[in-house]
Amino acid sequence: MAARVMLRDWQELFVIDEHTVQLGAGDRAVRIIGPAQQTLRRLQEHLSNTATQETEADDDAPSDDHAIRVRARRELAAVLLDGLPRPAALLAGQLTYLHLGMLLLRDDHPVDRDDVAAGYSAAAVGLSRAAAVRRACLRHHPEATVSCSAPALLTSPGGQAQPVQPQTVQAQPVNPQPVQPHPGTPQEPVDIQVIFAQRAVAPARLAAAATRAQLVLPVVRHRTRWEIGPLLSRDRGPCPRCLLLHGAAADPHFEAAQTALAEQGRTREQATDSRLPRDEPQSAAVLASLLAREIQLAVDGEFTPQTASRMIGLSTRTGELTLVPVAPHPECDCRLHATTDT
């Protein structure tokens, strides 16, 4: 075996003269005396056979184990796309190629002319976005498991279950408490929840999502850019409370401002006279590919997604990418969880 390794490590073979062949160069060079052409031919054949045998022996088993492990993680994974603008619809189509255990879609907004202009099928007008995207996914991948998810319900102050809807709130001290789902309302436990929104995601919505999903990925549309992430985790951080604490350090009214922006974004999205920017189709495709890769990395568990510690900015006009580091807040409990796990 040692001889094989040595021969494989000598990548250079050349003839010195008709009676001498040299392997390698420098201090590790070796010269073989004999008929040069015959020696050269035999060495080349031996090196070729040795490389083939070692590749089969060394690489096949690990490759098989890796493929089985990745396939198992994907088949057990559940991903929820919360909000289905055109980039999310494209993302859903790409995720079906991963053969996930479950792809959940949530968006009751009816497909309208603006959606058709953005790329939705004209035949889907009148359907909810979730139903339209599900139909499109199953048309191309009938074997995929794609379902429409009901709106998340939270407990109101009077104890009644009601849909999550951002509302304007007054600024309060930053000591956020997790929003608890109504105990009688079935909630899908998912591995990753991707939230699409305009202008901002309400902090209460992020907190509610974190009670159901192991990872929460906010994707926010601004006028000229998309903001992706950070990937929020209660176990590893950063988490929704980290974002509140970071934001409150710069603006004491951060929570109220984010909630107001989220409400404005929701109202703007529902407006019937909104116009599609000319660059939207191109940026939607780029954004969907970025998100698909981030989700794949998070599901497979082989490499760390970029959004695990950063927020990615994507310019809708130039395609420029920016990375903004985001770390767990030193006063947040998620840092203790991460320290305990490690």
Side-chain angles (χ1 to χ4, degrees):
M1 182 63 183
R4 289 185 178 182
V5 173
M6 291 176 64
L7 286 174
R8 184 182 62 183
D9 290 341
W10 280 312
Q11 300 296 321
E12 297 178 300
L13 293 174
F14 50 91
V15 177
I16 299 296
D17 55 41
E18 61 180 4
H19 299 293
T20 309
V21 173
Q22 179 168 318
L23 287 77
D27 295 339
R28 300 192 61 185
V30 174
R31 292 178 179 174
I32 300 177
I33 306 300
Q37 296 300 326
Q38 295 183 17
T39 303
L40 182 63
R41 184 173 61 255
R42 291 179 181 178
L43 286 173
Q44 289 174 337
E45 293 175 354
H46 183 74
L47 286 173
S48 177
N49 293 335
T50 300
T52 301
Q53 294 173 3
E54 292 186 354
T55 299
E56 294 176 353
D58 297 339
D59 296 340
D60 282 356
S63 178
D64 291 343
D65 291 343
H66 175 267
I68 292 173
R69 182 169 58 252
V70 169
R71 185 167 61 250
R73 289 181 65 92
R74 293 182 183 180
E75 291 177 351
L76 294 174
V79 176
L80 169 61
L81 302 185
D82 193 352
L84 293 168
R86 184 55 183 166
L90 295 175
L91 172 61
Q94 294 189 32
L95 291 179
T96 57
Y97 287 97
L98 298 182
H99 303 289
L100 299 174
M102 174 70 72
L103 177 60
L104 295 165
L105 308 172
R106 176 184 293 162
D107 194 334
D108 292 333
H109 187 281
V111 177
D112 55 26
R113 61 182 183 181
D114 290 327
D115 292 322
V116 174
Y120 271 84
S121 170
V125 173
L127 296 175
S128 68
R129 287 178 178 172
V133 173
R134 179 179 182 273
R135 186 171 68 174
C137 290
L138 294 179
R139 182 184 299 118
H140 294 94
H141 299 276
E143 74 286 354
T145 304
V146 185
S147 300
C148 296
S149 174
L153 300 182
L154 301 179
T155 303
S156 66
Q160 298 296 323
Q162 58 183 7
V164 177
Q165 294 185 353
Q167 297 179 354
T168 303
V169 298
Q170 299 297 322
Q172 298 177 356
V174 181
N175 187 18
Q177 298 297 326
V179 181
Q180 298 297 331
H182 188 272
T185 303
Q187 300 289 337
E188 304 90 345
V190 296
D191 296 285
I192 304 174
Q193 180 171 344
V194 186
I195 299 178
F196 288 85
Q198 288 200 36
R199 307 204 68 182
V201 181
R205 186 179 181 187
L206 288 176
T211 64
R212 298 184 300 273
Q214 295 184 15
L215 300 172
V216 179
L217 182 62
V219 183
V220 180
R221 175 68 157 94
H222 297 278
R223 186 171 184 178
T224 60
R225 73 186 190 283
W226 286 92
E227 288 183 354
I228 309 168
L231 189 64
L232 304 176
S233 170
R234 289 174 296 165
D235 296 329
R236 296 286 181 178
C239 69
R241 187 167 184 268
C242 290
L243 297 188
L244 276 180
L245 293 171
H246 282 304
D251 178 8
H253 305 291
F254 174 78
E255 182 177 1
Q258 290 294 106
T259 303
L261 286 173
E263 173 64 17
Q264 290 180 6
R266 186 179 67 87
T267 303
R268 181 180 178 182
E269 184 178 10
Q270 293 176 350
T272 56
D273 59 349
S274 60
R275 293 185 177 273
L276 183 72
R278 289 179 299 174
D279 51 20
E280 183 68 16
Q282 292 77 17
S283 64
V286 174
L287 177 64
S289 297
L290 282 174
L291 291 172
R293 184 56 173 168
E294 289 294 293
I295 293 172
Q296 178 186 346
L297 292 174
V299 170
D300 292 351
E302 297 291 325
F303 301 98
T304 303
Q306 286 286 334
T307 50
S309 58
R310 301 172 183 86
M311 182 174 63
I312 301 176
L314 170 64
S315 171
T316 58
R317 294 177 177 175
T318 65
E320 180 185 5
L321 292 175
T322 57
L323 299 177
V324 179
V326 181
H329 195 276
E331 298 179 10
C332 187
D333 294 341
C334 68
R335 288 178 61 88
L336 299 178
H337 299 162
T339 304
T340 303
D341 293 340
T342 56

